[in-house]
Amino acid sequence: MSELYNELINKGFRETRWQYIFEGQIGGLVFPYNDGRNEVHVRFYSDRIFSEYEVGRSSFAHFLGPFLNANPFLLDLLKDSVSDDSYALLGEYTKQYRLKDEENALEDWDYQKQTPIGPANREGKRYLLNFELANSLGRFFQWKAVVPITGVMISVFLGLGLGLPVFLVSLLLVLFIYSKLPAMGCP
């Protein structure tokens, strides 16, 4: 698993403080895809490896858009760059019978055509947005655009009611939060 993890880092995947860690997860990497508007997340567990393609976390649309199984992308990406033993482990650890039900329920991502493969939703789950709409909205509703505007408005409101010190402290808090937010293309 270490060879797989390190090779993904060599290919541009990064660790990130913004990735949710699931129970049993022992490692995780993120790759900005499509100019960072989307991302490929790879999660390592002791008994499986699962990757998903999703709307990037730099956008509010991340919570509304679809998630697709990106294991076929991962297998293709690493096919010629890791040892035979590591690739065999990857093949075994990404098999359907190893995945959790919610992972198996996701549609597969056809990364060559940039579309989902298979039934429109294996469990009937509907997402509010598709990738095209999520990416369009994501240009306008990125955290880095929305948080400063909202934060400054709240700081002004607090400052008017509670005075200059509260305004300055809340403005510093907005700047701190802004500096920690994910940006498009940066996991």
Side-chain angles (χ1 to χ4, degrees):
M1 253 200 235
S2 294
E3 182 184 358
L4 297 170
Y5 195 89
N6 291 331
E7 184 58 27
L8 288 170
I9 288 174
N10 290 338
K11 291 189 177 294
F13 285 75
R14 297 287 173 252
E15 295 174 342
T16 175
R17 63 177 167 250
W18 291 101
Q19 185 178 52
Y20 180 81
I21 306 299
F22 289 96
E23 185 178 333
Q25 185 176 335
I26 58 175
L29 297 170
V30 178
F31 181 74
Y33 194 90
N34 192 13
D35 296 327
R37 289 190 299 270
N38 304 114
E39 295 173 339
V40 177
H41 287 240
V42 181
R43 299 178 191 282
F44 291 83
Y45 300 87
S46 61
D47 62 344
R48 71 186 188 286
I49 297 172
F50 184 71
S51 62
E52 61 191 3
Y53 179 69
E54 60 191 59
V55 174
R57 292 158 301 141
S58 65
S59 170
F60 282 115
H62 171 75
F63 299 105
L64 306 173
F67 297 88
L68 301 175
N69 179 340
N71 279 349
F73 170 77
L74 193 62
L75 286 160
D76 198 34
L77 181 69
L78 295 175
K79 134 176 86 178
D80 296 323
S81 58
V82 295
S83 69
D84 291 343
D85 288 342
S86 291
Y87 191 74
L89 178 84
L90 178 64
E92 176 61 28
Y93 274 31
T94 56
K95 288 191 176 183
Q96 271 191 321
Y97 75 87
R98 286 196 176 266
L99 302 180
K100 294 180 109 182
D101 289 342
E102 60 268 19
E103 295 165 345
N104 270 321
L106 296 179
E107 295 175 78
D108 290 337
W109 172 45
D110 184 342
Y111 57 93
Q112 294 169 335
K113 293 181 183 175
Q114 296 299 306
T115 60
I117 297 175
N121 221 314
R122 294 186 180 149
E123 288 188 344
K125 183 176 181 180
R126 294 284 175 224
Y127 294 100
L128 295 176
L129 301 175
N130 61 29
F131 278 101
E132 185 176 310
L133 183 55
N135 287 335
S136 296
L137 290 175
R139 294 179 184 145
F140 302 104
F141 295 106
Q142 292 181 33
W143 296 108
K144 288 274 189 182
V146 174
V147 167
I149 293 167
T150 306
V152 168
M153 289 173 31
I154 291 170
S155 294
V156 167
F157 178 74
L158 289 174
L160 290 173
L162 301 172
L164 184 61
V166 172
F167 168 73
L168 293 174
V169 168
S170 63
L171 196 57
L172 286 173
L173 182 60
V174 167
L175 291 172
F176 174 76
I177 292 169
Y178 177 79
S179 72
K180 301 296 181 189
L181 291 173
M184 188 178 292
C186 300

